[in-house]
Each structure stands twice: as structure tokens, then as C-alpha cells.
Amino acid sequence: MYPNRFDYESPKSVEEAIAILDRSGGEAKVLSGGQSLIPMLKLRFAAPAMIVDINNIPGLDYHHVDDEGNLHIGALCRHVDLEESATLADTHPTLAAAAGLVSDPIVRTRGTFVGSVCHADPQGDWQATMLAQDGYVVAQGPNGRRNIDMRDFVLGPFVTALAYNEVAVEAVIPGANGTPRGGYLKLERRVGDFATASVAVSLDLDGDVIRKAGCALAGVGGRTIDANEAISCLVGKTLTEDSIDQASDAVAAVAEPRTDHRGSDAYKRHIVQTFVKRILTNLAQTEQKAA
Amino acid sequence: MALDELKIGGMGASRRRVEDNRFIRGKGKYIDDVVLPAMLHMEVLRSPVAHARIKSIDTSAAWEVPGVRLVLTGETMAARNLAWMPTLSYDTQAVIATDKVRFQGQEVAAVVADDPYIAKDACSKIVVEYEQLPAIVNPDQAKNSDAPLIRDDKVNQDSNKIFDWEIGDKEATDRAFAEADVVSSLDLHYPRSHPSPLEPCGSIADYDRATGKLTVYMTTQAPHIIRAAVAMVAELPEHQIRIISPDLGGGFGNKVPVYPGYVISILASILTERPVKWIEDKSGNLISTGFGRDVYLKGEMALRRDGKILGMRMHTTSDHGAFFADAQPTKFKIGLMHSTFACYDVPAAHLTSDGYYTNKAPGGVAYRCSFRVTEAMYFQERMIHAAANDLGMDQAEFRRVNLVKDDMFPYRTAFGFLTDSGQYAKCLDLGLEAIGYSSFKAEQEEARKRGKLLGIGISTMTEPLGAGNSREYDIIGIKMFDSAELRVHMTGKAILRTGAKTQGQGHETTWAQIVAHELGIPADDIVVEEGDTDTAPFGMGTYASRSTPVAGAAVAMVARKIRAKARKIAAHLLEVSEEDIEWELGRFYVRGNEERGVTIQDCALAAYSNVPDGLEPGLENNAYYDPPNLTWPFAAYICKVEVDPETGVWDVLKFVAVDDCGVRINPMVVEGQIMGGLTEAYAMANMQYITFDEEGNCIGANYIDYLLPTAWETPGFELHEVVTPCPHHPIGAKGIGECATVGGPAAFVNAVMSAIEHTGVRNVDMPLMPNRVFDAVRNGQDISGMPPVRVD
Amino acid sequence: MTSLYDEVQTPTDGVPTRRVTMTVNGEKRTVDVEPRLLLAHLLRQGMQLTGTHVGCDTTSCGACTVLLDGRPVKSCTMLAVQADGHDVETVEGMGSASELHPVQEGFKEEHGLQCGYCTPGMMLASKALLERNPDPTEDDVRWALSGNLCRCTGYQNIVKSVLWAAEKMRADKGEDA
């Protein structure tokens, strides 16, 4: 309930933040939304010597789609900003589907998308959506900026590829070339629970033909599961009962669930399969209605 | 010209609550809001392991932290004979561990410092060396002859068994089974749960050396019991102990026991000569304080082919954790478990029971359940559900055949309880109508086409409330009466104090309504206080739904004593003899001459200025009420669910509650209690449980793992009312606080069982989490109990 | 209103503190705090605004909910220093000395509280909802309050309280339900 003592800095620019992190030699943690870090400080699971609070850096609270259709999410964009977006469902439906399922509504006013991704909790919702859509993190350090592909970003539970003197300034999720479709389903026993299993599916359609498909899973392994290759069996096809069955079987096969008090590994694998099927079936039915 | 009872806030009025005025302004005074001058803060260090010898404990680094005033270990407590204390079940419990820790979360040290941050810093610098021992996490393991002895501190304790107990007639029951056409049996586990009021426990101990008085602010539902317990444990004279229970953020039974933290804070105050505040965090509350349930229930029913129940056998095995710390009537080792089947006409029954120590938090406290009645009624309605299916009978019809009929009261149950009133069939019929029982089959068919499984579950029960009469009931020897003291001032306003202690039930509002009913004084003119042992008359506190039945009765009785005296004063003022005085709400008048009368306020003023010769002045009195019997509210809860067989997730489509709790003092408050109780029932059926892994690590020691439903999951409830007044209670009320928690879970579980019965599954033990329901359906097999979670 | 004095949180020797200024219930407050001090503790112990409650230690229960610049946040999961330059509203700031806020009235009218411990957080979260959505459905209310736990009421009357308040607020504005 009571954090350890720490030094505290509140830089007013990204450059200042980087300089402080650089001097700290790895003993500092970046604080954005704080909805993951502060609970860890309170339980004393984390005890950094210094906290670098980036909430007072102006110009980081944006989210917008650029001319090429790519979504840029600034480091201080809160979960609720995405949940309340009027346009996200049109451009990035997978994220739109996930937005309201992150934690609970009060945490969402404060927690940030980028912060959540940097926290790298294997059960994190946003990582799964980024992994399913070739997202990348833009990191800024003393030597300038670099893009880190989501696949290379998470090294292990709560460990990322960010150097100790780097700040993640934005996340980028590419847009679809054709028609974006997607879904996110999460089995939680109640709002705010960690997922028993969750599935992010993203499709890029050319008419009703799938040009690109992405999929990632959370809660069914020690890390976010990259199921992009498994779901690639949909590429070049349309959504039919057969193609949907094939895809859901393939994705379920790459899950790495563990038995625990939320369920057996077989159960969690079955949920993955069921959810993939439901997302795709729902998309197929929506397509038919639209047609 | 009697007053309009509803207008003055008498009985039956949905009077808006008095306590709300401060709560909605954020001006409640809960324990952590109380600040005393020079107050210090205490933090407890808890054991990370479930069963281990303490090899060493080094507190030197803790003492070095600036701002630390005191560090206490088991050794320092033992030097003052305070390392152990008695429990409310005649066992002993460690205050701070000395030789061994016996459950994960047990207290191993305490730090007192200038503020809680510093106290926590110092706690984390204490180094304890543990030598781990194998952990026992359920009674099966405890029974094993190879099992380590948990209570090696007790003389003459050579196993992990605590007690054996039995009640009922074995021979008659055996005969019933010999005659049976069908025997229906079921093995159930009611998982460990925790009352988890939103506010955790805490105390502020303030020992004044100059006066010798110890004042303790404490989150307690039973301040007078605590005063006696503190006197015994701390060896201080009872008249020099004052327990003040402030506003409580919920209780549900969790705030009845005496916790080590309270005792440690008292010693800390004596040693530091300053007030010491201890507020536990939610993890400490969940891992170490009084839990509920954790009982194995095995039952058999002897049935005649036409549906008549001939007899019932039951065996319970209860898990009490490391110390037997149940708060319950002495005579009954397993509480009122033998109230099971009380609403049915069962001629013969026999109950045997045993209890065990395990390496888990101590207790088995009454968690909103009137002493194990939740377990009794869950068992009952699950057995009834299974028996109806075994006979091939309709669920409602099977109950109708066996429910006690209206003309059978007073009815003596096979276990010796006397139920006195009810309209059981009427409640059931009302519920069936409201849920749409007759059209259910069609609904079920339609849903099956959509791939969804529909089910309906019924739970009917009567429960024993208002413990209890002094012939049979006591807690550590103290009889379970309750009290009320009423002082009417000269301007007709009044102050009422009782021995109960509200934790949200609305006593400040409802007790005044009883006085308004009896005396015609507007409820707004009556202030109600509870919780301070220096001012409140002696009572046994509020838990087990006993307040309306016992303290409420005392309130009515004291108001009647006041009215009897006022009558004498009225006769004096009206210059007639007492026999010529009539009463209507708010005034006395002369028989045959209604115009000539005096108000109760006139009598109040006269009590201080114009009393007749021979009568003492003043208008104040008290009453102590020993209830002649328990009260017996009845409920019929009916639930309709939709199960998704592909995920195991189930949703409540409709829930109907028909409650007969006798006369309702405040209908709005009664309904609030029912809805709150049904939500706890839903939570327990669905997600709320505590379990352990093989090493004794507690899963459910924080709100991440211990799941409480939010507004999003919680279903809506449709409430109905039947009123059968209690024949022996002064105002005909029966009590309601726990009925829904007691009867509710079986309605949810029976509904899910009904939805999946075509798979051959007879039982899935709670919690009916999606994975458990799914596994049952997929494999067509029962899911029993909660085996220790595998350690990965 | 400018504070006439600086409030000082007593530090222990040599421990660095930070001076921050925030507006609490419309009043400017300046405090010296240790960075690790949680906002909930500053409000409760530092400013004696004890209406904000602490009900858990895992950011799960919402009893500590306050409004930060009009948005509900869990004050136990914010550092006091992070409120520097911001507006904080606690339950004590709801309504005025003479008049209750319609949400407060609604909770009393519809029996939306029993023990009262979750109530300040519930009411502030409800107030924030109604300011963004003056005509919510029952589902909207349940969704918006799904970060606030209650153990006593079963939520049904809380929903009724919020809908009661919504109707009153619309009527006060001259809009029809």
C-alpha cells in the first residue's frame, strides 16, 4: 500500500526526459498513466530509485491517422481517448473493439496505450492488437529516434527492448490498404479481471477477398502469442465456414496456454478457437448484411 | 385524531435514511477517519509461508529507521503473556507467532512509527528465517496419519481433528432409509469465501496512564463482547475499558472476531503511552481474517415413489484453518447447520459433523449466514433439486408435496427446531408465476435452436434468525439477549441507544420507526446511537440477522414501558383514572370523550414538571429482550439462466425473489438488504472464492484474484412480498439481512444444473466459473470441490 | 481563493520533498510532499478530506475515486505530485453548503447506499458520467460504474439513483426526459 522512497523528476520535454534517464544509469522508471506502475510500487514489486514523470511534456496526448492511413498514438494518449474516438472503428476496428475492454472505465481515463505496451504484461490487450497489425513503437534516445517492430519489442514478461535511456514517444499501427475489418474478444470473469484468454483479429479486405490477415493472443502463454502466420491461411480467400474453421484451428494450435485457477490448458485453447471463429463469423455476417 | 403513521415515519414507511445525510457529504466517520492527538501508526508483518518453524527474527534494522517507535515480535508479546489469546470457540489463537507460523499471512511482527509509510519501510527491513514444513490445505490431507501436526502448541492435541458432533435420531433415520423406494445422494463442497466488506478492519488503541482507562476505537459489530474479551486478554478491569465502534464500511460477519491486530495495537499503546492506529490493508484482511464456509457436505435422502421425503442423513466436514475461531453459539459446534430441511416435512433426520485444522486463515465465521445456515440451505436445495430429478418429478411439484403446509404450524422439525409461521406454498406459487414457469419449456426449445441452453433453478427455504433464547444459545457463556434504552426529553424529543451495531443496515432510521409506531413521536424527533460501550446498553451486537428480531424487539418493549408510564401521567393530567384512558397514535384520550386528550409530548413535559404522587419523575427506561424462539422468515428464489456451451459462460435472464420476513419496518431498507444479499449469492455462485495451492499459498488474497462482481455483471432482481407476521415478536417482524445470501446461491446453481442436465451432469461445485461449467458439459461429468492448485 | 499560508507535510530529516500547487474543490492548495505520497493519502491525511476512502490495495475497487480535471481517477493510483497544476474534486466539493448535488439527492432518494463506504467514489463517477451523457440508459450507467465496487446494495438502487439524478438535472436545465 505504501511505495518505497524514490527521487522524482518531471521533465518538460522529451529531450530533458532522455537526459535524466541517461544520467540515471538504468535506475529510473518512466511514469505515464501509472495504472500499471503505481500498483507495482505500492506492493513493492518495483522499487526504482527514481521516477521520471512524462505527464507534463506537452504535445504527446494525440492520436491521429496520417495521409497513408497509419494510426499514430502519442505517449500520453489515454485509453479513454481511443474508446471515445468516433473514427477509430472505421480505420482500425481491432483497436476499437479492444478499447472498452482494457481494465475498467476509471483506469482508462488515466492509463495510456503506449505505457501499457511498454509495461509488457503478457496479458496486455494492446500488445495483442499491435502484434496482429504489424505495429511498431517509436523510441527516442540520446542518439535520436528508432522504430522497434512489435515482434522485437517485447523480450519477456515486463521486459522490453527499450534501452534505459530511451522513451517510447509513440506507437504506430499501419492502416489497411483495402477495407479494414477486425475484432477483439476477451474472456474475463468480470470487468477488470485479467483475461482467461483473448484474441485480436485484423483483416485487410479487397472486396470480400482477404488480402492480409493478422492475429495475436493474450493470456494463453507466458507472452503475447503471435498467430499471424497461423491465420495467414485466410489470405486470398473469402470468409466461409470452411476457411473460418481452418483459421480458428490453426490459431488455436499455436496458443501456449497453461493450466491455472482460471482453467485448464485445453479449455483456454478451446476458447481461442471459439473466439477466432466468432470474430470471423461475425465479420462474415456483417459483410453479408452490408452487401 | 390519531397521527398518520406513514407521515410521522412509523412502521411501513419507506423513510429516507438518516445516516445518508452524512455519508452523501463524505462526512462519515469510519475508523481511518478518526485522528487522535500524538497518534502513532502500526503496520503488521505477515508470514509469506503457510507452515514453517521460525528459526530467527532480526528486527535490528527496523529499529534504525527514523520515525520508528516500537517493534514487537512474538517474544515481546510472550513476555507479557500476550502471544496467545482465547477465541470465541474456546480455542486459542496466536497474536504474534512465536514457535511456528501456521498459515500464510499470519502475524510475525509489528512496527509502530510516526506514519504508515515509515512503518511499512521498517517492516520490510525485518529479517525472518523460516524452516518450511509441509502445508495442509484441506481436511483430507489433515486426516492423513502422515500429516504434520499443526497445533503442536496444544496439550492433548495429537491430530488435526478439532471436534466430532452429532444431532438427530440415527435409528429413526436408518428405518426411514430401509423403507425408501429411492435414495438420492449428493456430495458438495461449499468453497471458502470471505465476507470482504469494502472497508477492512482496524483499531485505534488509546491507553491513558493517568486515568487507567483504555479506549479502543475498533471496527466491531459487537462492541460489548469485545470489551469483555479485551478485559480477559489484556487483564484490565472491564469498567476501565471503552470500545467505540464508529461508522463501519460493511461487516457481513467479518468484523465480529477479535483479531491479533487489535490486541497488538492495545499493547503498543500501553508501551508507547500514545494512541496507536492500526488499519489493515485489503490483502491483510483477505488473507488473515474471518472467512466463511469451506465445508464438505455429504447428504442422502430417503424417498417414497410418490415424492414424499421419508428421511435425511447429512455429514459435514468443516475446515477451520489454523485456529478454531468461529463466532457461534457454544452448544452447536457446526452452528445451526441442523436447520437444514426446516421448511419441509421430514419425519426423520440425522446429522454428523467433524472439523479439522489446516494451514489456512482461522475461523469459519458467520458470513452473512446466521451461523452456517448458508451451508445448510445450499445443501438442502441442491439435494432437493437432485432428488426431484432422481424421481423424475417436476421441481416445483416435488417441493409442493413436501413443504410444510400452513395448517401444520407450529411445526417441530426432526432436529428439534420449532417453526411457527409461514405461507410457503403461496410464496412458491407467486415466484413461479413471476418467472413464467409454465411457458419455460417452449422458451428452452427456442433457445436450443440458437445453440444456447436455458435453465430454471428454484430455492425455497426458511431460516432460523434472531439467535437466541437463553436456554439454548450463548457465545462463550454469555447469553444472546439484546437491549434498548430510550430517553424522552421534556420537549418530547428522544434519544434511543441499543446494544446492536449497524454496518449499513440503517438502524439509525429503522429503530426510530419502531418508536414512532409505539409512541407516536415522529421518527425525525428521535436520534439513534449505537456502538459506544460507555453509553450503549449491553448487547451482543449485529450479525446473523439478529438485530430486528432481538434488538428491534427490545426497542418495541422499551417504548411500551415508556408508554405505560406516560399513560399514568396522562390520567393524572386529564384527572381521570387510568382505566378510563384510551390510546391512539400520538395521544391519550378519555374514553367516551375523544376531544379530551393529551399528546405524548404533553406527557413528556409533565414527566419533568407535573408527575402524580408516588410516580418517579422522568420519562426514560431500558429493556433487555430474551427472545422466546428464533424467527423464521421464508423465501422463494427462482432464477432463469442462459448457458453458452461453447464457453461455459452463463447469464442470468431473470431473477425473481419472493420474501416473507414478516412485518416490514421500512420496505425500502428491506428491499436493499435483499438485493445486496442476492448479489453476494450471485458472486459466490459465480466467481467469489478463495483457494490454495499445494504449498499453502493463498489464491484470493487480493481483489485481483478474489473476484467481486461489478455493476456490469450483476443481474437485476424482481422483488415480491408476502407478509406472515411472526407470532411471538412484539412487532411481528422476522429479520431479513441474510435471507438472500442464504437462499440465493442454490437458485443460481440449480438453474445452471437445469440448463445442462441433459449431459448427465448432476453437480458442479461453486464457483461456477466458465471453465468449470464448460468442462462439465464437455465431459458429461460432475466437477467436485476445488483441489489444490498445481504449482507450476 | 488564495491560501494565506503554505501547508507543509512534515518530512523526516533529509528526505527531499516537492512543492506542488493544486486546486482542491475550487480552493488553491500548496503543499510540500514526498514524491511517493499517494494522492489519496494527501487528501485524507494531509488535507483532512476524509470523504475519499481506501478500500483495496490493487487499484480494483474505486472507493478512492476523485475527479481530476473533471474525469474520474483512482486517487490511490496517482502520486500527489502528479496533481500539480490540476483541478481535484472530492465528494466534499459536490454540491454547495446549502444545496446538494442532484446525484447526492438521488442516492438518498433511491436508497443507493447502505454502509456508505463506496458512495463518494460512486457519486463522483456518476457525476462525471452525467456531465458527458445527460440521458444514459441503464446499461450506460452500469458500464460507467463498472470500476466501482459495492458490497452492500447489489447496484440496482445505485443505477436508479443515477437515473433519478439524470432526470432531475435535465429538468433543471429545462429539457424533458
Side-chain angles (χ1 to χ4, degrees), chain B residues 565-645:
Chain B
K565 182 168 185 179
R567 183 188 208 94
K568 290 183 161 50
I569 296 173
H572 170 70
L573 293 175
L574 293 165
E575 295 170 324
V576 296
S577 76
E578 237 193 289
E579 295 83 60
D580 294 328
I581 293 287
E582 297 273 6
W583 163 261
E584 60 184 5
L585 190 63
R587 76 192 276 270
F588 295 99
Y589 62 92
V590 179
R591 186 179 308 115
N593 194 354
E594 229 179 275
E595 305 276 293
R596 280 199 69 218
V598 288
T599 64
I600 186 74
Q601 287 80 11
D602 295 332
C603 296
L605 181 58
Y608 297 88
S609 58
N610 183 5
V611 284
D613 288 340
L615 190 68
E616 282 180 18
L619 198 56
E620 306 179 346
N621 214 327
N622 51 30
Y624 295 84
Y625 188 76
D626 182 6
N629 190 7
L630 304 168
T631 65
W632 295 91
F634 180 85
Y637 299 128
I638 312 190
C639 178
K640 187 163 65 177
V641 301
E642 179 180 283
V643 177
D644 179 348

Side-chain angles (χ1 to χ4, degrees), chain B residues 255-566:
Chain B
K255 292 172 175 160
V256 173
V258 182
Y259 293 122
Y262 303 152
V263 177
I264 303 169
S265 69
I266 291 171
L267 180 64
S269 179
I270 292 171
L271 292 175
T272 58
E273 301 196 21
R274 289 168 66 170
V276 174
K277 176 187 262 192
W278 168 67
I279 307 291
E280 67 179 0
D281 52 32
K282 187 47 59 89
S283 303
N285 178 256
L286 287 170
I287 208 173
S288 76
T289 65
F291 67 93
R293 324 283 187 260
D294 211 348
V295 190
Y296 296 83
L297 308 153
K298 258 168 109 84
E300 288 183 310
M301 284 168 73
L303 303 159
R304 210 166 60 196
R305 204 170 305 282
D306 64 352
K308 181 89 186 73
I309 302 171
L310 301 175
M312 194 280 300
R313 266 186 201 130
M314 181 185 197
H315 180 80
T316 77
T317 297
S318 50
D319 179 333
H320 295 271
F323 310 110
F324 184 25
D326 279 19
Q328 69 192 8
T330 309
K331 202 171 152 184
F332 306 108
K333 284 275 180 280
I334 194 69
L336 302 183
M337 186 72 77
H338 55 298
S339 63
T340 195
F341 282 84
C343 67
Y344 298 108
D345 180 27
V346 175
H350 186 230
L351 161 66
T352 54
S353 173
D354 49 24
Y356 290 87
Y357 289 121
T358 58
N359 291 117
K360 292 147 80 171
V365 73
Y367 166 16
R368 202 164 185 180
C369 74
S370 197
F371 311 119
R372 298 284 186 187
V373 177
T374 358
E375 291 90 312
M377 298 311 160
Y378 177 73
F379 168 80
Q380 171 194 298
E381 286 304 290
R382 290 290 300 120
M383 291 284 296
I384 291 280
H385 182 92
N389 285 348
D390 290 347
L391 285 171
M393 262 182 102
D394 171 71
Q395 291 287 337
E397 191 48 36
F398 180 60
R399 284 173 173 80
R400 271 196 206 95
V401 165
N402 290 289
L403 281 171
V404 169
K405 313 275 185 294
D406 295 4
D407 57 11
M408 288 163 78
F409 293 113
Y411 177 80
R412 178 75 60 184
T413 75
F415 285 128
F417 285 112
L418 189 71
T419 61
D420 54 32
S421 55
Q423 299 177 70
Y424 300 168
K426 178 175 178 180
C427 291
L428 175 60
D429 287 340
L430 229 179
L432 294 169
E433 173 75 38
I435 199 95
Y437 197 68
S438 48
S439 55
F440 176 67
K441 282 276 178 287
E443 250 189 286
Q444 199 180 35
E445 262 317 297
E446 186 277 330
R448 195 162 299 197
K449 295 192 186 111
R450 286 187 288 116
K452 299 282 193 266
L453 306 174
L454 248 52
I456 275 197
I458 302 174
S459 175
T460 49
M461 61 102 208
T462 185
E463 64 157 337
L465 294 192
N469 182 272
S470 53
R471 282 189 310 271
E472 288 211 288
Y473 296 93
D474 66 87
I475 293 185
I476 50 165
I478 305 170
K479 300 298 181 182
M480 298 182 69
F481 58 90
D482 227 289
S483 61
E485 180 194 271
L486 182 61
R487 301 184 184 184
V488 182
H489 310 320
M490 65 182 79
T491 57
K493 313 286 194 271
I495 182 165
L496 174 76
R497 295 192 175 100
T498 83
K501 178 68 186 103
T502 190
Q503 317 117 40
Q505 295 92 328
H507 293 176
E508 289 170 45
T509 304
T510 55
W511 290 164
Q513 293 182 248
I514 299 178
V515 177
H517 170 78
E518 297 289 338
L519 287 179
I521 297 177
D524 288 348
D525 287 352
I526 304 161
V527 72
V528 178
E529 287 182 1
E530 290 177 337
D532 182 338
T533 57
D534 266 8
T535 53
F538 188 97
M540 290 296 273
T542 295
Y543 43 86
S545 299
R546 61 187 298 274
S547 291
T548 295
V550 192
V555 172
M557 300 311 282
V558 73
R560 289 175 193 182
K561 287 187 188 179
I562 297 275
R563 195 169 82 218
K565 182 168 185 179

Side-chain angles (χ1 to χ4, degrees), chain B residues 16-17 20-21 23-28 30 32-33 66 117-118 121 194-200 248-250 252 281-283 367-368 503-504 668-669 672-673 675-676 679-680 683 688 702-704 706 708-712 714-717, chain C residues 12-13 36-38 41 44-45 50-51 53-58 60-61 63 91-92 94 100 104-105 107-111 113-120 123 139-143 145-157 159:
Chain B
R16 297 309 186 263
R17 297 194 337 159
D20 289 1
N21 293 331
F23 293 149
I24 59 178
R25 289 176 170 83
K27 295 289 184 202
Y30 303 91
D32 197 24
D33 303 338
Y117 282 73
I118 294 175
D121 289 342
H194 193 283
S196 193
L198 197 55
E199 178 206 33
L248 295 178
F252 310 119
D281 52 32
K282 187 47 59 89
S283 303
Y367 166 16
R368 202 164 185 180
Q503 317 117 40
M668 179 188 81
V669 165
Q673 292 298 304
M675 289 188 286
T679 302
E680 285 197 292
Q688 183 184 301
N702 54 59
Y703 275 173
I704 307 265
Y706 190 64
L708 307 178
T710 71
W712 186 246
T714 305
F717 306 108
Chain C
T12 316
D13 315 306
R36 64 170 170 162
L37 183 70
L38 302 176
H41 294 145
R44 287 183 52 76
Q45 274 81 48
T50 55
H53 299 144
V54 174
C56 77
D57 45 16
T58 47
S60 310
C61 80
V91 62
E92 289 91 343
M94 282 186 89
L100 291 172
Q104 291 171 299
E105 280 186 73
F107 270 73
K108 180 170 177 182
E109 187 56 33
E110 295 288 350
H111 193 35
L113 64 146
Q114 292 181 22
C115 81
Y117 204 70
C118 78
T119 307
M123 291 193 307
D139 270 1
D140 289 338
V141 176
R142 285 179 178 271
W143 181 258
L145 296 183
S146 59
N148 294 83
L149 295 178
C150 172
R151 287 295 274 160
C152 298
T153 67
Y155 303 107
Q156 196 158 309
N157 279 351
V159 174

Side-chain angles (χ1 to χ4, degrees), chain A residues 1-6 8 31 34-35 38-39 42 53 55 83-84 100 104-106 108-110 190, chain C residues 15 18 34-36 38 41 57 59 65 68 71-74 76-78 81-82 132 143 146-149:
Chain A
M1 201 52 219
Y2 307 104
N4 280 300
R5 256 189 205 120
F6 48 79
Y8 173 86
L31 173 67
Q35 302 302 287
I38 295 181
K42 284 160 66 178
D53 183 351
N55 283 281
E83 188 186 359
E84 291 180 347
D104 70 52
I106 306 189
R108 290 200 287 275
T109 65
R110 192 90 193 127
R190 60 138 207 180
Chain C
V15 176
R18 206 172 163 90
E34 272 196 57
R36 64 170 170 162
L38 302 176
H41 294 145
D57 45 16
T59 312
T65 303
L68 185 81
R71 290 281 217 171
V73 299
K74 296 187 183 186
C76 73
T77 310
M78 248 188 92
V81 290
Q82 292 188 288
R132 298 179 85 76
W143 181 258
S146 59
N148 294 83
L149 295 178

